[in-house]
Amino acid sequence: MAVEIDENVLRQIAQTANGQYYRATSNSKLKEVYEEIDKLERTKLQVKEFSKNQEEYQPLALALLLSLLLSILLKQTVLRTIP
């Protein structure tokens, strides 16, 4: 499957971003690209991030449920319309 790309633009983008442009047109070329990328500097990052999530919808949901039940109760008793 032929793919048309503008390699000049991609090279310019890589140069602007201080990066490198790679194009693999075959499996062997792709392997070479991966090997070259593996040779680049590797920086190990130690990231420890903890977050505590708390659901904040529960009080609102409880209030809405109580309002709905009260509405149903009132419609069945005090606010009942007599036909």
Side-chain angles (χ1 to χ4, degrees):
M1 173 191 236
V3 177
E4 293 183 28
I5 58 173
D6 192 347
E7 288 194 54
N8 290 329
V9 171
L10 293 173
R11 285 189 180 99
Q12 289 175 357
I13 292 171
Q15 184 179 11
T16 302
N18 293 325
Q20 295 180 357
Y21 170 74
Y22 300 98
R23 177 147 189 223
T25 54
S26 66
N27 286 342
S28 60
K29 189 73 171 165
L30 181 62
K31 184 178 179 183
E32 290 175 21
V33 169
Y34 279 138
E35 288 172 358
E36 190 171 337
I37 290 172
D38 282 341
K39 292 176 187 174
L40 297 174
E41 177 185 347
R42 294 182 183 182
T43 304
K44 291 192 176 192
L45 299 176
Q46 294 181 354
V47 177
K48 291 184 180 180
E49 184 176 318
F50 300 97
S51 62
K52 184 176 180 181
N53 296 334
Q54 181 177 352
E55 302 294 341
E56 297 182 5
Y57 71 91
Q58 291 175 345
L60 180 61
L62 182 60
L64 291 173
L65 179 63
L66 290 176
S67 296
L68 179 65
L69 292 174
L70 181 62
S71 171
I72 292 171
L73 179 67
L74 289 174
K75 284 184 180 182
Q76 296 296 320
T77 58
V78 178
L79 298 176
R80 182 174 61 189
T81 58
I82 300 174

